[in-house]
Amino acid sequence: NGTIAADVNGQTLELTSAGITNNASILAENGGTLLINGITVTQPDGFIVAAGGNLDFNNATIVGGDIARLGAESVLFRGTTTL
């Protein structure tokens, strides 16, 4: 339950294939894009933040926690995304 960071400028980190539990932080930063694709993210104590990067939720389910955007980054919700 450490930090997951999409932090490479112009690159996408895709979370897919299995649900995860987030008790820390999931970040999109430094121009990277985080794609949460078709999975459930359960966040008892965690958060998802766009801080200099982009968040893309596609057919995802986010249970609990916070989602935040710091600055002018994009947060995109596609398909059937449930918060």
Side-chain angles (χ1 to χ4, degrees), residues 43 46-50 55 57 62 64-69 75 77 83:
Q43 304 192 103
F47 55 90
I48 301 171
V49 178
L55 294 174
F57 299 91
I62 310 300
D66 294 314
I67 298 172
R69 182 182 68 134
V75 178
F77 298 96
L83 304 175

Side-chain angles (χ1 to χ4, degrees), residues 1-80:
N1 285 323
T3 298
I4 297 172
D7 58 2
V8 177
N9 188 16
Q11 299 295 310
T12 299
L13 174 62
E14 183 175 3
L15 302 181
T16 188
S17 78
I20 62 171
T21 298
N22 176 32
N23 286 310
S25 56
I26 299 175
L27 307 171
E29 56 188 2
N30 299 326
T33 297
L34 177 69
L35 170 58
I36 299 176
N37 190 8
I39 65 170
T40 297
V41 178
T42 303
Q43 304 192 103
D45 296 312
F47 55 90
I48 301 171
V49 178
N54 302 299
L55 294 174
D56 186 351
F57 299 91
N58 183 41
N59 294 317
T61 300
I62 310 300
V63 179
D66 294 314
I67 298 172
R69 182 182 68 134
L70 306 175
E73 297 77 16
S74 70
V75 178
L76 178 63
F77 298 96
R78 300 183 291 139
T80 307

